[in-house]
Structure formats: C-alpha cells, structure tokens
Amino acid sequence: LMRESRITVHLVGAEKELEFLPLFAELALLLPHTHISIVLFGEELARCRHDAPKGSLALASTLFEYATPSCFDASAEHRVTITWEPEHATWQDALGSGAIEPPDLLFAPNAGVAAYPAWKNAIFVAALARVTIATSEYCEWSVEMEVDTYKMVLQQAQQSGYDVATASPNRFLNPFRNPGQRPFPWNLAPNLSNGFCTILDFAEDPDP
C-alpha cells in the first residue's frame, strides 16, 4: 500500500465480530499511514438496532474509532473507523439501490459462500461493480466449493449477456487464523476459524 492511502472495506455478515470491535485497532498498527474505513453489514446489526435502548452504542453512527499512535509519524487522518449500514441488511441491496458507493474491498469472515444462497447475488453485484471479494472459511473443503460457486455465478451472468468482470480466485492459508483445530469430532479434516482464505480480484486480469 502507498503512504497516505485510504481504504474502504465493507464487512458483510457481521455477527460475533460485534463483540470485539476494538481488536480492529490492530489494523492501524499494521497499516499506520492509512485511513481504514470499515462499514458493517448484517441482519444481526439490524436486530441490535431495533432492540437497542435509548443511548445505546448500537444507535450510534460510529461504532468504534482508533487513531494511529504518533510514534508511527502518522497524521490525524490515519485511523481505523468502524461504522455500519442501518438501512439495508444485505450489502448487495445497499449497493444495488445506490445507497452506498462500491468499496475497495468486500470482506466476509467465515463466509460460507457455497452454503448461503444470498451469496450468489452478492457475487454478481460485486462482479458488475468490479469490487474485490475476500473471504475466509472454516473448512478447507469449503474453499473448493466456494471457487466452484464463483465460476458458476460468473458463467451464468455472462451467458445471460451481462458485462461482468472475470477473475481467478487466489487461495491461501490465513497467516492470522485462529490457532488450533475447531472441536468437531465428526470431522477430522482441516477446520480452523478464519483458516482458509480466497481473494477474487476483478481489477486484475484472470490467469490464462
């Protein structure tokens, strides 16, 4: 990343991440000369807002903010800011309605791309807007199914005459994964929280 850069990340399906928002402050230390704006999307957020009492954090426009420490020679603009989209539970509805601008990155932790039907429309919308998708999965096999889902959605869109971008998924083991196998005695396959990542970058040319 270039010095003095700005990044907007849309994090979809936020649930348990709501319990440890301050941990995102580490991003300010990893990317100290960057203004990182994270916007949360998810049905759990909508429920929190609906049930929140007056004065609750859930009703605030900014959920968390952390400035890069001055020892990094950072300016006042260098920080991590976490907000949320209160009007739309799903990212694809918000972008499709014009309520939000396309982000630099669409991110989903432990996404379950092949398991949830709503992902198909999200992939289609991201391809139209050329938004890079980054996900993590619990199970290594889920990544293989995720890649098949990407290929299927993009192929169907192209066959239907849509001008969607194409890309080849990049798969890798997450160096920041939660250590240790998840306790599933019925499944001895590799299974790690945020363990296996996929990036689908529509800004790059697909592999030949």
Side-chain angles (χ1 to χ4, degrees):
L1 294 173
M2 298 295 291
R3 190 178 178 88
E4 305 292 340
S5 61
R6 298 175 64 93
I7 300 175
T8 299
V9 178
H10 289 174
L11 193 157
V12 299
E15 292 180 349
K16 62 183 180 181
E17 291 78 17
L18 300 176
E19 300 176 4
F20 45 81
L21 293 180
L23 289 182
F24 286 95
E26 185 174 351
L27 294 173
L29 307 181
L30 295 171
L31 302 170
H33 298 102
T34 305
H35 181 190
I36 303 172
S37 174
I38 301 174
V39 185
L40 305 182
F41 294 80
E43 294 181 359
E44 187 64 28
L45 286 166
R47 284 193 290 269
C48 286
R49 183 177 177 86
H50 180 269
D51 299 335
K54 185 177 180 180
S56 170
L57 175 62
L59 299 177
S61 58
T62 299
L63 301 178
F64 177 77
E65 192 168 41
Y66 178 81
T68 303
S70 58
C71 62
F72 285 93
D73 190 26
S75 73
E77 293 297 319
H78 299 144
R79 60 183 60 242
V80 173
T81 303
I82 300 179
T83 59
W84 65 307
E85 167 53 48
E87 302 301 330
H88 300 82
T90 66
W91 174 81
Q92 56 270 29
D93 288 344
L95 187 64
S97 68
I100 59 173
E101 294 294 325
D104 299 300
L105 178 70
L106 178 67
F107 173 60
N110 298 317
V113 170
Y116 297 102
W119 263 110
K120 293 182 175 63
N121 190 34
I123 295 167
F124 171 70
V125 171
L128 282 177
R130 286 168 168 73
V131 174
T132 298
I133 303 174
T135 64
S136 65
E137 297 282 1
Y138 288 119
C139 184
E140 189 173 19
W141 177 244
S142 297
V143 173
E144 302 301 324
M145 298 174 65
E146 178 179 333
V147 170
D148 290 341
T149 301
Y150 286 143
K151 293 179 179 178
M152 177 189 68
V153 172
L154 296 178
Q155 184 179 43
Q156 289 177 348
Q158 291 166 349
Q159 290 175 347
S160 299
Y162 289 99
D163 182 22
V164 296
T166 57
S168 295
N170 177 27
R171 293 164 282 182
F172 59 93
L173 184 66
N174 182 10
F176 297 99
R177 65 189 179 276
N178 189 34
Q181 177 89 344
R182 296 176 71 229
F184 284 96
W186 49 267
N187 184 357
L188 298 180
N191 199 304
L192 309 168
S193 182
N194 288 309
F196 305 94
C197 294
T198 304
I199 295 179
L200 194 65
D201 189 353
F202 293 110
E204 294 183 354
D205 294 329
D207 294 335

